[in-house]
Amino acid sequence: MKPVIAMPKLSNDPFRIYMKSKYVFSLWRSGARVRWIGNENTESNRRALLKCDGLLMPGGVDIEPARYGQETQEKCGKIDLARDAAEWWMLEAFLPTQKPLLGICRGIQMLNVFQGGTLHQHIDGHSDFKSRSTGCHKVSILPGSRLETILREPCLTVNSLHHQAVDALGKDLAVCAVSEDGIVEAVIHTSHPFCLAFQWHPEHMSRKNKGQQKIFDTFVNACKK
């Protein structure tokens, strides 16, 4: 039976349908299927979430700065309070199960904030939508990290679709990849069996890039266990 991966329910506007299809196909290639979890913190949604074998926290709009103790700055982008609340209760419910969790873009940011960390509300030069399938800058994988074990590469060319990033690191998180200008590009939860999160979007590169697909393969294999 295919592992079932929970994802927060995303809107059905054309752009979001395109974006979420990339996650679905990346997971499908790894032998998993997606179950969309409703955003409301109801008993039925919590039961549906906890029945899943893994949780993927996807990309999206900015997180409300009040969640990490800051006022909203001028260059902070669009905020979705309902989605913030939804992903918060999902993390509260799912992390204690010790089932695998994968965070992507906003996902790494939400995980970091949930663990008590902070974000850079705006950084320049880290958003290049046109190169989403090929990559536009390099990241270095920290030697000896879980990510190096998975990818077996010291350096990767990745894409970049964000203007925010991890600042102060949250509790129990460790950096395992950084960009050339020092931005945190991947973290691991040190007290969790499998909790990895990335600032780049491997789902846009995974169809043609075996290394990026391997991220999903490893996640899904962990979900099978």
Side-chain angles (χ1 to χ4, degrees):
M1 184 177 293
K2 290 184 176 182
V4 179
I5 309 302
M7 285 185 63
K9 192 173 183 179
L10 304 176
S11 68
N12 286 322
D13 65 85
F15 178 73
R16 193 54 56 191
I17 290 173
Y18 162 74
M19 294 294 278
K20 67 186 184 183
S21 72
K22 298 297 183 179
Y23 302 107
V24 173
F25 284 117
S26 294
L27 291 168
W28 175 80
R29 284 191 292 270
S30 296
R33 63 184 181 89
V34 170
R35 179 164 188 177
W36 302 102
I37 306 299
N39 291 335
E40 296 78 13
N41 187 3
T42 64
E43 186 61 31
S44 61
N45 283 340
R46 292 175 73 88
R47 284 199 304 268
L49 171 68
L50 295 177
K51 285 181 180 179
C52 293
D53 303 298
L55 173 62
L56 193 156
M57 303 290 284
V61 297
D62 294 351
I63 299 165
E64 183 188 20
R67 285 197 176 266
Y68 47 95
Q70 295 182 11
E71 294 184 359
T72 302
Q73 298 172 5
E74 182 181 356
K75 290 188 176 181
C76 184
K78 183 180 178 182
I79 293 169
D80 185 339
L81 296 178
R83 184 168 172 190
D84 288 352
E87 293 181 352
W88 200 268
W89 75 254
M90 290 181 193
L91 284 171
E92 283 183 326
F94 200 83
L95 269 176
T97 70
Q98 298 283 284
K99 293 180 181 180
L101 188 149
L102 182 67
I104 294 176
C105 196
R106 174 187 161 97
I108 189 178
Q109 296 166 15
M110 179 57 79
L111 177 65
N112 189 59
V113 172
F114 184 82
Q115 293 296 117
T118 64
L119 303 179
H120 295 288
Q121 291 193 38
H122 177 77
I123 53 175
D124 292 318
H126 271 260
S127 185
D128 187 351
F129 191 75
K130 290 182 179 179
S131 64
R132 63 193 179 278
S133 64
T134 57
C136 59
H137 72 93
K138 294 187 181 299
V139 298
S140 297
I141 311 300
L142 271 64
S145 67
R146 177 72 176 273
L147 188 55
E148 184 191 46
T149 302
I150 293 170
L151 298 177
R152 301 189 181 279
E153 295 282 351
C155 185
L156 298 174
T157 298
V158 303
N159 56 22
S160 192
L161 306 178
H162 66 103
H163 84 114
Q164 296 195 325
V166 169
D167 187 6
L169 201 62
K171 181 183 177 182
D172 294 328
L173 298 182
V175 177
C176 50
V178 294
S179 65
E180 294 170 299
D181 56 356
I183 297 297
V184 174
E185 291 281 349
V187 300
I188 187 170
H189 195 304
T190 58
S191 60
H192 192 286
F194 190 102
C195 180
L196 272 170
F198 300 88
Q199 187 55 71
W200 73 86
H201 284 260
E203 76 279 9
H204 282 285
M205 304 179 70
S206 58
R207 187 170 67 88
K208 295 182 179 180
N209 187 309
K210 291 182 179 180
Q212 300 297 324
Q213 181 61 44
K214 193 172 183 180
I215 290 170
F216 295 97
D217 294 344
T218 306
F219 171 57
V220 170
N221 284 335
C223 292
K224 291 178 180 178
K225 299 175 183 178

